[in-house]
Amino acid sequence: MQIILDANRAMRKVSFTNKRNAGQSHDSNQGSSLSTNSADTVLSTLKPFLERIEGDNHSKNSNNGLFLFPVNDQRLCTILPSPLDEVAGVFHIKAYLVDDELILSGANLSEEYFSNRLDRYMLFTDGGGGLVDFYADLCDTLCSYAIKYDGQPPLLSTQSFDSTRKQQLESSLTRLFVDETRTILPDSYSHNDALDPVAYAIPTFQVPNSFLGRPFQFQSDNDASRDLLLAAVESEQNMSVRLSSAYLNLTPRLRSVLTMFGNKRGGGAPYVLTAGAMSHGFAPKKQTKSKQNNVGIVDKIKSSIPEAFLTLVKEASQSIIACGGKVLLYERQGWTFHAKGVWITANDTNTSRQELINDPTSVVSTIIGSGNYGARSEDLDVESNCVIVFNEQSKGEPIQQSVANDWNNMCEHSTVTEDLDFRDDVNNLTNIVVQFMKKFL
């Protein structure tokens, strides 16, 4: 049993109220405000299971436990207050494995994802043609680098930033993503089955250049995604691309590829979807009057983030709309938007709403995973996505239908940006956030 969390986020303090129970004395600490963090909460839940596993195996397995993956230098974490220190990069991978099943997603496991926070999920069963084993190996590799948490504050500065350990991680990941020549298909598959898969899955990995002071020695998720988009642009078929990001902050490198779709003669167009102000992940939550009167600089900066992203949406809209595409804002009362991904279609029939996928069988590829397709995902966070390419010769229509529904259902609660009036009187704090923190958003 393994759980991997970002070392910085896992240690972030979270306040809660310990309510008094009937019959307890008033001089106890019941009813007082206490604090905890994700690492301690998860570890307390995990301990009984770990003890049972160790008892059954009669030995301790170093691969079992709670692991904290450090991305940033501890010195930076001490300069910025939590949670602002997370803008410099986090371990952002979301993959969930149980037995021979795998869920790839962009979702965390906090309570809101089980109720009113929209995200995408893809379930691979029966080993997923070897994909489940691949991600199990990836988790083992990441755990070998991460710090095993036992309830004591991790010594990030001494244990986690040794260059030798980082290079060992790079070597292990290179063997996993490049050197292993085995195909991701179990031996039990027959030759005919292997020749006719429903789709091909290509896992990707991204780590910031600052981690080693240079790129890793295998293709990054950024390059893999860009190569897929360029291949679609260069295809003789009429290809369109749809991209969803919870926090839209298109880099010039990505924007240049997206606009190629609209500028290609006879080609499709780019359609981009992101959170509107109402459903933004950083939208201010309702507070009591006492809390409203005690707002610090961190809270003020956080409250300006949705407007900062809308400023970035306005920038992106200009180039996307100019090449015949659309930018949509997801707005749904009581919901927050966290879905991300890419959909590529070929020769899809036109509808009155061109942003929709009319023919599910036109979906030739999709990307699912943790990346948000912005500056943070490209340069700061540790990410993993999976490129799914459908086999034209196989009967993959039910899966293609599900993938198309993902996009179309999000569009049902979205508004095209050209129908909106963007504010020109952006306040000074928002301007500061946009100009000085753009590469961190």
Side-chain angles (χ1 to χ4, degrees):
M1 179 179 290
Q2 300 169 334
I3 295 181
I4 313 173
L5 303 176
D6 175 72
N8 195 19
R9 281 186 171 180
M11 300 305 294
R12 182 206 299 174
K13 290 183 178 180
V14 179
S15 299
F16 69 97
T17 302
N18 197 4
K19 297 181 180 179
R20 289 190 181 93
N21 294 323
Q24 288 185 322
S25 62
H26 290 281
D27 59 353
S28 70
N29 64 357
Q30 299 295 317
S32 60
S33 180
L34 305 175
S35 65
T36 185
N37 56 60
S38 297
D40 288 334
T41 302
V42 171
L43 184 62
S44 63
T45 305
L46 201 60
K47 264 188 174 180
F49 297 96
L50 295 175
E51 291 171 355
R52 188 185 310 167
I53 292 172
E54 292 172 0
D56 293 341
N57 295 336
H58 305 290
S59 64
K60 287 191 174 183
N61 187 339
S62 61
N63 288 331
N64 291 322
L66 172 62
F67 297 86
L68 306 185
F69 192 101
V71 177
N72 295 312
D73 193 309
Q74 180 70 0
R75 291 169 297 180
L76 179 61
C77 299
T78 58
I79 295 173
L80 295 173
S82 177
L84 292 184
D85 49 1
E86 296 174 14
V87 301
V90 296
F91 179 83
H92 203 239
I93 296 173
K94 294 92 164 57
Y96 309 101
L97 297 89
V98 178
D99 297 331
D100 65 345
E101 296 188 347
L102 163 71
I103 295 177
L104 293 179
S105 180
N108 298 308
L109 290 181
S110 53
E111 184 177 355
E112 58 190 343
Y113 287 92
F114 295 90
S115 55
N116 61 348
R117 191 169 176 91
L118 182 69
D119 217 310
R120 297 180 68 208
Y121 306 84
M122 185 171 286
L123 171 64
F124 300 85
T125 60
D126 299 323
L131 192 66
V132 178
D133 285 341
F134 181 92
Y135 270 91
D137 291 341
L138 175 60
C139 288
D140 284 339
T141 301
L142 295 174
C143 285
S144 69
Y145 171 80
I147 301 167
K148 191 170 185 178
Y149 185 64
D150 60 1
Q152 299 299 319
L155 301 175
L156 299 183
S157 58
T158 59
Q159 189 178 355
S160 314
F161 301 101
D162 178 71
S163 59
T164 301
R165 294 186 70 245
K166 291 183 177 182
Q167 290 168 5
Q168 289 172 346
L169 175 63
E170 179 190 31
S171 298
S172 299
L173 289 171
T174 300
R175 285 194 296 271
L176 184 62
F177 280 88
V178 179
D179 294 347
E180 291 188 4
T181 56
R182 62 179 175 85
T183 180
I184 304 183
L185 285 171
D187 295 336
S188 59
Y189 271 47
S190 70
H191 184 66
N192 290 333
D193 288 336
L195 291 177
D196 194 27
V198 172
Y200 303 93
I202 304 99
T204 66
F205 190 82
Q206 181 76 29
V207 70
N209 290 348
S210 59
F211 191 81
L212 268 179
R214 58 169 174 77
F216 269 28
Q217 295 179 348
F218 59 88
Q219 187 182 47
S220 68
D221 170 72
N222 292 334
D223 290 338
S225 300
R226 192 170 189 271
D227 287 349
L228 177 70
L229 295 174
L230 287 173
V233 169
E234 295 168 0
S235 171
E236 295 181 357
Q237 301 184 72
N238 182 5
M239 296 279 194
S240 291
V241 62
R242 293 162 176 83
L243 183 147
S244 172
S245 172
Y247 310 110
L248 187 66
N249 180 18
L250 296 180
T251 61
R253 191 166 181 261
L254 179 56
R255 187 183 306 180
S256 66
V257 180
L258 292 176
T259 54
M260 289 181 188
F261 284 86
N263 292 325
K264 176 184 175 184
R265 180 175 297 179
Y271 303 100
V272 178
L273 191 152
T274 190
M278 177 192 300
S279 296
H280 201 279
F282 284 92
K285 295 178 174 59
K286 291 184 178 180
Q287 296 180 332
T288 62
K289 288 186 177 181
S290 60
K291 288 187 176 181
Q292 290 175 354
N293 296 329
N294 190 28
V295 177
I297 184 62
V298 173
D299 295 313
K300 290 181 179 179
I301 293 176
K302 286 176 65 177
S303 66
S304 70
I305 289 178
E307 190 170 9
F309 272 107
L310 286 178
T311 302
L312 297 174
V313 170
K314 183 177 181 180
E315 291 180 9
S317 296
Q318 296 173 353
S319 56
I320 296 297
I321 293 173
C323 68
K326 295 182 179 180
V327 176
L328 301 96
L329 297 181
Y330 184 93
E331 297 272 10
R332 187 178 180 185
Q333 186 69 42
W335 284 72
T336 54
F337 183 82
H338 199 253
K340 65 270 294 185
V342 170
W343 295 253
I344 296 177
T345 58
N347 304 316
D348 188 25
T349 54
N350 290 328
T351 65
S352 57
R353 294 183 61 186
Q354 293 181 338
E355 68 271 16
L356 297 179
I357 300 174
N358 183 58
D359 178 11
T361 62
S362 70
V363 179
V364 297
S365 181
T366 188
I367 302 178
I368 187 162
S370 62
N372 269 307
Y373 307 100
R376 278 195 59 158
S377 293
E378 281 200 12
D379 301 322
L380 300 173
D381 291 346
V382 175
E383 309 275 13
S384 180
N385 290 324
C386 191
V387 178
I388 308 295
V389 180
F390 291 99
N391 182 3
E392 294 181 2
Q393 307 303 320
S394 181
K395 297 179 180 179
E397 185 172 350
I399 304 176
Q400 290 171 299
Q401 178 73 65
S402 178
V403 170
N405 288 344
D406 271 354
W407 173 266
N408 290 341
N409 290 339
M410 293 189 298
C411 289
E412 291 304 316
H413 296 279
S414 302
T415 306
V416 180
T417 55
E418 61 187 3
D419 298 332
L420 301 175
D421 292 326
F422 284 98
R423 290 180 54 186
D424 291 324
D425 58 333
V426 178
N427 62 56
N428 291 332
L429 182 57
T430 299
N431 276 325
I432 293 173
V433 171
V434 172
Q435 298 303 321
F436 290 94
M437 297 187 67
K438 188 173 182 178
K439 67 177 182 178
F440 300 107
L441 296 176

